[in-house]
């Protein structure tokens, strides 16, 4: 019986063209799916935040989509979209929506009421309040959702081989079919590495976008004003108004 090692550098060298192409496909469709889902999730969560009774149906609908088995979903989409990238992308966007909508909504609902009221008192309309105050203050929760959705999508892409576009999942499937251990292990390790790299990059991006989360001391009397100033989400007048509101409620 010929040797069939789990780790084979010669396999990587001899098949690097195929491996790199699968890795690029896996990476690009992951990023594309998360970005599309984020573009859809932001207005959905904002609407559910503004119109409170919509939160239950929005979360319920995205939750139902998330529970559909991936193999079944991709198989259902193929007759309508054909095989290839499109059905896989649609499925990945559907799965990412629940994670993103839920985290964005939690972030928006967690904005300090004093900051929101101060901005309203200074004439901020609903749109300006959302874009200048609420979304920037909800960034930590939003970035957490993006990280979770990205890692989850990296794993789900591997199932896309049933629709003709599986990235590294295609290599895994070929390895299982031929019982080629090195091919299975190489694709698996690259999936893990891709998930870790993307998660670390998003972690660094989140830290860069929310520097106040590393410097703000909890329990201080002027925590709302400090947070607002570091975020740069409101002007000095909003920060002052928020501070005054804190003093009145202290």
């Amino acid at each position: 019986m010929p040797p069939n090692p789990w780790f084979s550098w010669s396999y990587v060298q001899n098949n690097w063209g195929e491996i790199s192409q699968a890795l690029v496909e896996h990476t690009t469709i992951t990023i594309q799916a998360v970005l599309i889902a984020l573009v859809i999730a932001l207005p959905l969560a904002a609407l559910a935040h503004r119109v409170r009774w919509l939160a239950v149906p929005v979360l319920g609908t995205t939750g139902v989509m998330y529970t559909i088995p991936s193999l079944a979903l991709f198989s259902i989409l193929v007759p309508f979209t054909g095989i290839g990238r499109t059905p896989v992308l649609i499925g990945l966007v559907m799965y990412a929506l629940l994670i993103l909508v839920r985290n964005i909504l939690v972030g928006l609902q967690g904005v300090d009421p004093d900051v929101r009221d101060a901005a309203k008192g200074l004439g901020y309309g609903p749109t300006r309040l959302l874009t200048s105050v609420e979304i920037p203050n909800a960034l930590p929760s939003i970035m957490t959702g993006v990280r979770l959705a990205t890692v989850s999508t990296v794993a789900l892409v591997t199932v896309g081989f049933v629709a003709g576009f599986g990235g590294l999942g295609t290599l895994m499937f070929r390895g299982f079919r031929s019982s080629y251990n090195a091919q299975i292990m190489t694709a698996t390790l690259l999936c893990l590495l891709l998930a870790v790299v993307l998660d670390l990059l998003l972690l660094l991006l989140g830290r860069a976008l929310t520097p106040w989360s590393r410097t703000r001391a909890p329990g201080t009397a002027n925590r709302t004003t400090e947070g607002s100033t570091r975020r740069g989400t409101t002007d000095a007048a909003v920060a002052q108004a928020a501070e005054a509101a804190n003093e009145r409620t202290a």
Side-chain angles (χ1 to χ4, degrees), residues 142-197:
I142 294 174
M143 290 305 302
T144 298
V146 172
R147 291 174 60 194
L148 290 172
T150 300
V151 173
S152 175
T153 301
V154 169
L156 286 170
V157 174
T158 58
V159 190
F161 73 86
V162 299
F165 193 94
L168 295 169
T170 302
L171 297 183
M172 292 183 192
F173 175 70
R174 292 176 184 171
F176 282 119
R177 189 171 56 182
S178 62
S179 299
Y180 191 3
N181 294 339
Q183 190 172 30
I184 299 171
M185 183 59 68
T186 300
T188 302
L189 291 178
L190 286 176
C191 279
L192 292 173
L193 180 62
L194 177 61
V196 170
V197 170

Side-chain angles (χ1 to χ4, degrees), residues 26 47 49 61 82 107 109 118 132 151 159 165 168 170 172 211 231:
H26 207 113
L47 182 62
H49 172 61
T61 301
Q109 292 175 343
S132 299
V151 173
V159 190
F165 193 94
L168 295 169
T170 302
M172 292 183 192
R231 290 178 178 90

Side-chain angles (χ1 to χ4, degrees), residues 102-115:
R102 183 174 56 191
N103 278 272
I104 295 171
L105 188 57
V106 168
L108 293 175
Q109 292 175 343
V111 175
D112 194 314
D114 289 334
V115 175

